[in-house]
Structure formats: structure tokens, C-alpha cells
Amino acid sequence: MKEAHFESVKTEGTSLPERTAEQISRLIVEQHLTSEDKLPSEFELAEQLHVGRGTVREGVKLLVARNVLEIRRGKGTYIARNPGEVPDPLGFAYYPDQVQLAMDLVEIRGQMEPWVARMAAERAAPEDLTELRETCLVVEQDILAERDHSKNDVLFHVAIAKCTHNLVVPKLIPIITYAITLFVALTKSRLRMETLVDHREIMEAICNRNPERAEEMMARHIAHNRAVLEEIVAGLKEQEGTPSD
Amino acid sequence: MKEAHFESVKTEGTSLPERTAEQISRLIVEQHLTSEDKLPSEFELAEQLHVGRGTVREGVKLLVARNVLEIRRGKGTYIARNPGEVPDPLGFAYYPDQVQLAMDLVEIRGQMEPWVARMAAERAAPEDLTELRETCLVVEQDILAERDHSKNDVLFHVAIAKCTHNLVVPKLIPIITYAITLFVALTKSRLRMETLVDHREIMEAICNRNPERAEEMMARHIAHNRAVLEEIVAGLKEQEGTPSD
């Protein structure tokens, strides 16, 4: 069953290095190579794929750029730890209207994350709860020390997602919480104490295996964020002199 | 307000071409360059960023590999149409257990897509509905002609997502429907007629602006998919001789 896999989704490229990159990535999938595995040498790959070593080199560069392969200094080229996963996979950094993006993301969070918190309370293993408690504490320390807590805030939401034991949910959280950095910057310190209290309530509900309360507390947390974001957007619109209809 | 943007999320790279790629991508964001815009010449970039032209060339290659830039034959290097968006952004192709992945994705779809269908019925503009009807028809034609309908099936779900006018929802659908190809392959023709009927009911509920029914029909559609997928997984486990507990 584990042998089943998809046809390669990367069919857009037609240059020779692009096709070579695709062949190498198929080889990684078919031979079940993992981050423990070193990529075969340029020479071997060139022989096997019937292309020149220069083409192999270009293909490898493409896969390094896409985080399928990684170069470990002094050791050679290996399969990446999370092959194919890239930071900002939907290109949010290039969206012209970042505030609209933040609003649309908080809408999705309001739908998904209470459900994630519920599943977390239902399914978490003891070691998941240990990680969750630790991550909650790290955010609290950031907040109390008035440091930027946005990175650890994302990790707290990822720790909840890991409790679900769904393979994909923890990968979606960094996407939909992309706006946290902007949000923390925009709201300045206004939500810091509210965040601390909300996080603690969510964490405790999950640790007490209370799915209803976990869901409710997460819904409240996102609603707090959304309300403050809407206030800020209204303020920005007023400053710009455009009607906030 | 539109000027606000995030700090760059790509901070992991430290090689010179990597840093150059980051500087170029910051320049794209700050100068609001779009797919209409040609990238400044290698010479100009080298001057501006105080690096050699070879380094600029390597940096540009990295951004092409990540679909931030694209080379248009005979025209030069332009900003990509959806900069930073890559196929398979979470690296699903490299997951060792594709069937577990399909199960976990259908769980997420069961949570998200009924909500998306509801919002679609509430918010769709007339032109969204035209696209939705057309896409529904294309899938029907595939099914009736016994062609592989998986690509157009994804487009149908994306067309529903576009009706929500949330910027991010249409980008998440191709991720969570990644398993459709595998699913269509595994279920063979078993679900073809059910899919045709389900899709039509969802489409009509959205066009009739009936959010409750749109939500309900989408939930039924995903539940159908999930039930068949579970049957298949049980069958595969039996074949393997492992208990299906």
C-alpha cells in the first residue's frame, strides 16, 4: 500500500535541466530515499539518465532551490528533511494588499482552527501534550519579556495541529497563520495579555481532553484577533480618507 | 494600506546567490512589480546590489526555479504570473504513505469544503456562476466520455472556492484536493456517476443561492468519497495480510 504514489505533478518544465530535475525527483520517490540518503554522484546520475554532467548539475541546482535536495557542507548532496516544502509556498509575500490577505487568512483560521483544537483534545498522545505545554510557556515568556512572540506563536498553533495526528494539518497552519507577524506588528502590544490568557485556556482544555472547551476557546481566540484586525483596518481606511463602507 | 507588507520569510539561505535572490525578491515586493514587468537587466541589478553579474545570474536562476521569475522566450526575464506559487507546495509527492495522505486530506476536505460551498452560495458574483456552470459541464463531459476527469474535478472545486472572494481559499483547494488523482485511479469508475450527480447538485444549490443546501450537498459529496476510500484502504490492508483493525 505504501508503494502507491501519484504521477509527478511537475510537468510544466520542458528544458533539459528541468526534465533532469524531474527524473531525479522521480528516482527519489521510487527508491524511497529519505534525508538519511545521499544523492548518487553526478557521474552515476549522468550515466543513468543519459545526460551530461553539466545538465545533472543544473538539475540538482533546481532541486536545491526547491528544497528537494540540500547540500551539507563537507558531506555532499542529500535529500532534504522535508523535501519539496518551501517557506511561503503560496507566495503571500508578493500579494499587493497584505491587509486584505490578513483579513482573508483570519476568516480561514476562524473556520479551521477551532476544529483543529477539538481534534487535538480528542487525539493527543502524552508526548504531544508535553510539547504543547512547553510551547505555550515559551510564548508566555516572550510576551512577559515584551519580545516579539510571533514566531513562537505560530509554533504554538503548530503544536496543537500535531496533536491531531493528521499528516497535513500541521503543514497548513504555517500557511494560514502567515499573517501573525503582520498582525503582531499592527496590533502592537494591544493583544499581548489577551493572547497569553487565550493560549493558556486552549492549552489547558486540550490537556484536560475537553474537546468542546478547546474548540470554544480557540474560536474565542481567533474572534479576538479578528475584531482587533477589523478595528485596525477601519482605522487605516479612515486615515486614507476612503469610506469604510 | 496596500503598502504594508511582511518581512521576507526566506531567511534560511546564506550563500551569496541566495542572498542576492532575496534582495531581488524584496525589490519586486517593494516596487510592486507584477507579471507585466520585466526584471531590470543583469548589469543594472549587479550595479544596484553590489555583486558580480555571475552572482546575479545565479540568484535569478534560483528565483526562476521557485517560480518568482519566468523566462519568456525571445522577450527576457519577467515577474511570474503567480510569483512564489509552486506545484505541490507541501511536497506531497515525497510522502512515503500516499494512502494515509489521501485519508488525511479527505478529513480536511470534509471540514473545509462544505463551509466553502456555503460561502460560495452567499457571495458569488454572476460571472463566478458562469464559470462554475462551465466547469461543472466539462467534468460531466469527461465522465460521460469515460476520460480521466481528475484535473477538471479539481478545477470545479477551485471554481467554487473563487465564488467566496477570499483570496486564499482558491489556493488551498489544489493542496487539499491533491489526492483526487490517486482517488480517481483507486476507485476506478465506481464513483463516476455519483460524482456527476453530486457536482450538479452542489452547482445548482450555489447558483440558486441556497447556502444550507450547498453546504449539505458538499458534505454528502465528500462523505461519499471518504466512504469509498475507506473501503479501498480496508481492501488493500486485507490484501497485504495485515489486520485492518
Side-chain angles (χ1 to χ4, degrees), chain A residues 32-93:
Chain A
H32 308 287
L33 303 182
T34 70
S35 62
E36 310 284 291
D37 297 305
K38 199 169 170 170
L39 191 72
S41 74
E42 250 174 38
F43 180 79
E44 283 174 74
L45 286 171
E47 285 245 301
Q48 206 177 326
L49 306 176
H50 309 288
V51 292
R53 290 177 63 174
T55 306
V56 169
R57 204 172 304 131
E58 288 301 309
V60 166
K61 273 189 195 169
L62 285 170
L63 294 174
V64 170
R66 291 173 187 152
N67 192 38
V68 173
L69 297 175
E70 66 182 31
I71 293 160
R72 299 190 191 148
R73 304 219 176 258
K75 290 184 164 181
T77 307
Y78 282 76
I79 318 306
R81 259 164 268 262
N82 293 301
E85 260 187 79
V86 294
D88 191 18
L90 298 179
F92 287 157

Side-chain angles (χ1 to χ4, degrees), chain A residues 7-14 16-28 49 59 62-63 66, chain B residues 94:
Chain A
E7 283 170 58
S8 172
V9 287
K10 294 180 212 111
T11 50
E12 84 282 26
T14 46
L16 189 53
E18 189 63 65
R19 284 202 302 277
T20 304
E22 195 169 325
Q23 284 179 302
I24 296 171
S25 79
R26 205 170 295 155
L27 190 138
I28 294 167
L49 306 176
L62 285 170
L63 294 174
R66 291 173 187 152
Chain B
Y94 304 96

Side-chain angles (χ1 to χ4, degrees), chain A residues 59-208:
Chain A
V60 166
K61 273 189 195 169
L62 285 170
L63 294 174
V64 170
R66 291 173 187 152
N67 192 38
V68 173
L69 297 175
E70 66 182 31
I71 293 160
R72 299 190 191 148
R73 304 219 176 258
K75 290 184 164 181
T77 307
Y78 282 76
I79 318 306
R81 259 164 268 262
N82 293 301
E85 260 187 79
V86 294
D88 191 18
L90 298 179
F92 287 157
Y94 304 97
Y95 278 43
D97 190 342
Q98 293 281 311
V99 174
Q100 185 59 48
L101 175 62
M103 295 279 282
D104 286 354
L105 285 169
V106 90
E107 177 169 75
I108 295 170
R109 293 187 64 194
Q111 162 64 14
M112 275 205 71
E113 291 201 63
W115 168 72
V116 172
R118 160 181 288 272
M119 287 205 298
E122 285 167 355
R123 301 183 185 170
E127 57 275 22
D128 299 324
L129 297 180
T130 308
E131 193 191 331
L132 181 60
R133 275 193 204 92
E134 279 166 11
T135 320
C136 187
L137 203 63
V138 171
V139 180
E140 281 187 13
Q141 287 164 344
D142 278 348
I143 290 179
L144 294 173
E146 303 197 0
R147 283 190 298 265
D148 178 1
H149 62 283
S150 46
K151 260 194 192 148
N152 288 322
D153 198 317
V154 172
L155 292 181
F156 175 71
H157 289 273
V158 171
I160 296 170
K162 282 185 188 166
C163 298
T164 68
H165 293 240
N166 178 306
L167 294 172
V168 181
V169 170
K171 309 289 183 182
L172 290 179
I173 296 297
I175 299 178
I176 64 176
T177 56
Y178 176 84
I180 283 185
T181 315
L182 174 67
F183 187 73
V184 168
L186 280 173
T187 59
K188 305 283 188 316
S189 58
R190 282 170 65 184
L191 263 177
R192 291 176 149 262
M193 282 307 154
E194 228 162 6
T195 296
L196 192 149
V197 174
D198 284 357
H199 277 197
R200 183 156 276 273
E201 302 257 32
I202 295 164
M203 182 272 284
E204 280 171 0
I206 294 171
C207 290
N208 293 333

Side-chain angles (χ1 to χ4, degrees), chain B:
Chain B
M1 182 170 78
K2 296 195 178 184
E3 307 284 319
H5 56 72
F6 296 84
E7 283 169 58
S8 174
V9 287
K10 291 180 214 111
T11 50
E12 85 281 27
T14 47
S15 73
L16 189 54
E18 190 64 65
R19 285 202 303 275
T20 305
E22 196 169 324
Q23 285 179 300
I24 296 171
S25 79
R26 206 170 294 156
L27 189 139
I28 294 168
V29 172
E30 281 166 8
Q31 302 189 1
H32 308 287
L33 302 183
T34 70
S35 62
E36 309 284 293
D37 296 305
K38 200 170 171 170
L39 191 72
S41 74
E42 250 173 38
F43 180 78
E44 283 174 76
L45 287 170
E47 285 245 303
Q48 206 177 326
L49 307 176
H50 308 287
V51 292
R53 290 177 64 174
T55 306
V56 169
R57 203 173 304 133
E58 288 302 309
V60 167
K61 273 187 195 170
L62 285 170
L63 293 174
V64 170
R66 291 172 187 153
N67 193 38
V68 173
L69 298 175
E70 67 183 30
I71 292 160
R72 298 191 191 148
R73 302 217 178 259
K75 290 185 164 180
T77 307
Y78 283 76
I79 317 307
R81 259 164 269 262
N82 294 301
E85 260 187 79
V86 294
D88 192 19
L90 298 179
F92 287 158
Y94 304 96
Y95 277 44
D97 191 341
Q98 293 281 310
V99 174
Q100 186 59 49
L101 175 61
M103 296 278 284
D104 286 354
L105 284 170
V106 90
E107 178 169 74
I108 295 171
R109 293 187 64 194
Q111 163 63 14
M112 275 205 73
E113 292 203 62
W115 169 71
V116 172
R118 162 183 285 271
M119 285 206 299
E122 285 167 355
R123 301 182 185 173
E127 57 274 23
D128 300 323
L129 297 180
T130 308
E131 192 190 332
L132 181 60
R133 277 195 203 92
E134 278 166 12
T135 321
C136 187
L137 202 63
V138 170
V139 179
E140 281 187 13
Q141 286 164 344
D142 279 348
I143 290 179
L144 294 173
E146 304 197 359
R147 284 191 297 264
D148 178 1
H149 62 283
S150 47
K151 261 195 190 146
N152 288 322
D153 199 317
V154 173
L155 292 181
F156 175 71
H157 289 273
V158 171
I160 295 171
K162 284 186 186 165
C163 297
T164 67
H165 293 241
N166 179 305
L167 293 171
V168 181
V169 171
K171 310 287 184 183
L172 290 178
I173 297 298
I175 299 178
I176 63 176
T177 57
Y178 177 85
I180 283 185
T181 315
L182 174 67
F183 188 73
V184 167
L186 281 173
T187 61
K188 304 284 185 318
S189 58
R190 281 170 65 184
L191 262 176
R192 291 175 148 263
M193 282 306 155
E194 228 162 5
T195 297
L196 191 150
V197 173
D198 283 358
H199 277 197
R200 184 157 276 273
E201 302 256 32
I202 295 163
M203 183 272 284
E204 279 170 1
I206 294 171
C207 292
N208 293 332
R209 306 202 167 278
N210 187 336
E212 286 72 30
R213 186 161 172 85
E215 182 172 1
E216 190 193 328
M217 290 298 104
M218 181 63 90
R220 191 183 69 172
H221 177 48
I222 310 285
H224 280 154
N225 284 6
R226 188 171 185 160
V228 175
L229 189 59
E230 278 168 0
E231 261 178 54
I232 290 163
V233 171
L236 285 170
K237 282 191 178 161
E238 235 164 68
Q239 274 177 31
E240 277 183 351
T242 54
S244 67
D245 62 15

